[in-house]
Amino acid sequence: MRVISVINDGLLQATNALLEMTIGEYLDIGLRILHNNKYQRKRVSRSSSVYSLLNEDMKKLCSIPTIVLAFTDEAQGIHLQEDMSAEELMRCLNSNSLIILDGLQRTYTMKDVNSDLLFPEEDKRRFREHTIRIEVYCGLSKTGVLYRMLTLNTGQTPMSKRHEIEILYSSYRERNIDGISFNTQVDTDNEPGIDVYDFDNAIEGFNSFLDSDESPMDRFDILDVIQRMEKITEDNYQKDLFEYYINSYNSLAHHIYEQTNHWVISSEEKRDLGSIYAKDIPAFFNKAQTMSAFGAALGKILWDKSDRGFGNISDRIKNVRFSGIPNEAILMMQKMLKVVREGAKKIGVSQRLYLKFFFLNLLTEGSETYLLVESSINKAKIDYDHAIIIQPRKESLFD
């Protein structure tokens, strides 16, 4: 084990050390830190054709891409140097603050090869003595760790867009928002619904809120977020806005849930409708389309300088009402969304647009459908039908 070179990373204000070590030496480190990085995704299935092939290639002592590790900000005092002895280096790498940035699946594959009972012992010995390259970042901030995880995401199985979003906004999830929790791709213990939202859906809704635009986030949006990572992750004002957005949304979800007496679609209603948007109120409010539509509508309402601002949205939500039987209104909404679906080129985009008009009509003070659910459902369809194909420029709370 030895340090080959140490270079500075000017962007992240950190150093990067290139190491050579044997697979056996790496496994002594890698297996100990497998679960240190809470932002890492879960293990890819062993039956995956890519990693099954890698398993066989490793047995033939193939050269693998460099694995990237990092010391978290709890270990800011650790710095690797070219003249370090193997013993000094191992002492540093035994730190509990060491994490895997890139190479988790390769580490699992090496572990499998090393524990393969059918792999001859002499071949296994040569495998453990085979040299690989490791990069180690020293002095990375938390933001730097997140940035590097995303920009290194070029392996055989790239992260999903959902996981990238969850990494970018991980500090938002750590906020203490009373009564509300979030599921992530790594952690899906709770049934999604009211009070429990899929985190990536909540973030898509929040971005719609900031931009007054219901469009789904794509990878270009994520790239833009990466480029302004420090502001996104450390700006407490935007974190306060996220809390405001999710609390407002959850309040409306609770209000509708109670008004409809916990509506769930019946077997007969489902049969008559065919395709449905949501089986019940919790499912309706946990959809990305609903969260983004509400966010876009809320952002547009607050962007309107004639509106009275943040304070009275909660009062409006408390006064939302049904003029008839609530369950019949929800079925009417389902039928409208089915019509939108059947005529849409891009179903999710069209559903977002219709629902944005619904929330706008429902919560815009002074509108003829203000606070009236059934009237807002019908007016939203009229607005949707008259919507122009080319959408106007995004209007942001920060313009």
Side-chain angles (χ1 to χ4, degrees), residues 284-336:
F284 176 86
F285 278 99
N286 198 56
K287 281 186 169 287
Q289 296 97 309
T290 313
M291 301 193 86
S292 294
F294 177 83
L298 185 62
K300 190 171 180 62
I301 290 169
L302 297 180
W303 180 86
D304 183 353
K305 302 302 188 291
S306 66
D307 201 280
R308 286 188 286 150
F310 288 70
N312 74 336
I313 288 294
S314 59
D315 293 333
R316 298 181 199 189
I317 288 171
K318 292 174 187 175
N319 290 303
V320 166
R321 62 187 182 276
F322 294 85
S323 55
I325 300 173
N327 289 5
E328 291 180 359
I330 298 302
L331 284 174
M332 185 198 316
M333 169 81 82
Q334 296 269 10
K335 291 174 183 176
M336 290 293 190

Side-chain angles (χ1 to χ4, degrees), residues 96-107:
N96 290 328
S97 299
L98 191 65
I99 62 174
I100 299 173
L101 288 190
D102 186 57
L104 183 71
Q105 307 305 329
R106 276 163 278 162
T107 303

Side-chain angles (χ1 to χ4, degrees), residues 38 43 49 56-57 63 72 75 77 91 94 107 112 115 121 128 187 195 202 234 261 299 301 303 368 396:
K38 63 182 178 181
R43 179 178 186 177
S49 59
E56 294 304 313
D57 288 347
S63 176
T72 60
R91 277 198 297 272
N94 276 330
T107 303
D112 290 343
S115 59
E121 284 301 319
R128 287 182 59 85
D187 174 20
D195 293 331
E234 302 301 335
N261 195 27
I301 290 169
W303 180 86
E368 61 188 58
S396 170

Side-chain angles (χ1 to χ4, degrees), residues 12-265:
L12 300 178
Q13 299 299 305
T15 59
N16 176 286
L18 177 62
L19 282 62
E20 281 186 358
M21 65 179 70
T22 66
I23 288 177
E25 288 172 327
Y26 173 68
L27 285 175
D28 290 341
I29 299 165
L31 297 185
R32 182 177 51 78
I33 63 173
L34 268 175
H35 305 293
N36 280 8
N37 189 350
K38 63 182 178 181
Y39 305 115
Q40 280 282 13
R41 54 198 161 152
K42 293 180 178 178
R43 179 178 186 177
V44 174
S45 169
R46 294 185 190 184
S47 61
S48 164
S49 59
V50 170
Y51 291 107
S52 175
L53 179 61
L54 180 60
N55 184 299
E56 294 304 313
D57 288 347
M58 280 189 173
K59 289 179 180 178
K60 299 171 185 175
L61 307 183
C62 71
S63 176
I64 63 171
T66 304
I67 291 173
V68 184
L69 312 179
F71 290 104
T72 60
D73 51 10
E74 288 86 359
Q76 289 290 331
I78 295 179
H79 296 285
L80 305 185
Q81 300 172 358
E82 290 182 40
D83 58 355
M84 272 185 161
S85 67
E87 292 75 18
E88 290 176 307
L89 189 53
M90 182 56 83
R91 277 198 297 272
C92 290
L93 296 177
N94 276 330
S95 167
N96 290 328
S97 299
L98 191 65
I99 62 174
I100 299 173
L101 288 190
D102 186 57
L104 183 71
Q105 307 305 329
R106 276 163 278 162
T107 303
Y108 274 120
T109 303
M110 283 187 274
K111 176 186 177 186
D112 290 343
V113 173
N114 190 55
S115 59
D116 186 348
L117 297 178
L118 299 180
F119 192 35
E121 284 301 319
E122 181 59 25
D123 292 337
K124 190 178 293 185
R125 180 187 63 77
R126 284 195 292 269
F127 166 75
R128 287 182 59 85
E129 291 175 353
H130 184 60
T131 299
I132 58 174
R133 292 190 176 99
I134 309 290
E135 289 182 45
V136 182
Y137 276 94
C138 303
L140 279 184
S141 65
K142 178 181 176 182
T143 299
V145 169
L146 301 180
Y147 181 91
R148 261 294 166 241
M149 282 190 69
L150 290 169
T151 54
L152 286 168
N153 180 25
T154 56
Q156 294 98 328
T157 53
M159 291 178 192
S160 65
K161 185 186 75 172
R162 174 184 180 184
H163 197 130
E164 288 180 341
I165 290 171
E166 290 168 356
I167 287 175
L168 281 171
Y169 290 91
S170 58
S171 62
Y172 285 37
R173 185 175 180 243
E174 294 162 6
R175 284 179 79 82
N176 182 22
I177 303 176
D178 289 342
I180 300 175
S181 59
F182 300 101
N183 283 334
T184 66
Q185 186 167 304
V186 174
D187 174 20
T188 55
D189 292 341
N190 299 315
E191 181 70 23
I194 296 171
D195 293 331
V196 182
Y197 299 100
D198 287 339
F199 188 56
D200 63 317
N201 290 350
I203 291 300
E204 288 219 30
F206 176 57
N207 275 277
S208 294
F209 169 54
L210 295 181
D211 292 336
S212 302
D213 187 301
E214 73 283 358
S215 303
M217 290 180 73
D218 59 26
R219 291 191 182 274
F220 292 105
D221 296 319
I222 293 172
L223 178 60
D224 179 62
V225 171
I226 291 173
Q227 292 170 340
R228 51 193 173 92
M229 172 78 83
E230 193 73 41
K231 178 174 176 58
I232 285 292
T233 56
E234 302 301 335
D235 191 334
N236 284 324
Y237 175 56
Q238 288 201 182
K239 291 180 184 177
D240 291 342
L241 285 178
F242 175 68
E243 189 169 332
Y244 170 79
Y245 156 76
I246 199 66
N247 273 326
S248 298
Y249 185 77
N250 198 50
S251 294
L252 181 61
H254 268 283
H255 184 73
I256 297 295
Y257 192 48
E258 292 161 6
Q259 291 283 309
T260 60
N261 195 27
H262 305 177
W263 174 84
V264 178
I265 195 166

Side-chain angles (χ1 to χ4, degrees), residues 263-267 269-270 273 276 278-280 331 334:
W263 174 84
V264 178
I265 195 166
S266 68
S267 300
E269 290 165 342
K270 186 175 181 180
L273 278 171
I276 59 170
K279 66 177 182 176
D280 54 28
L331 284 174
Q334 296 269 10

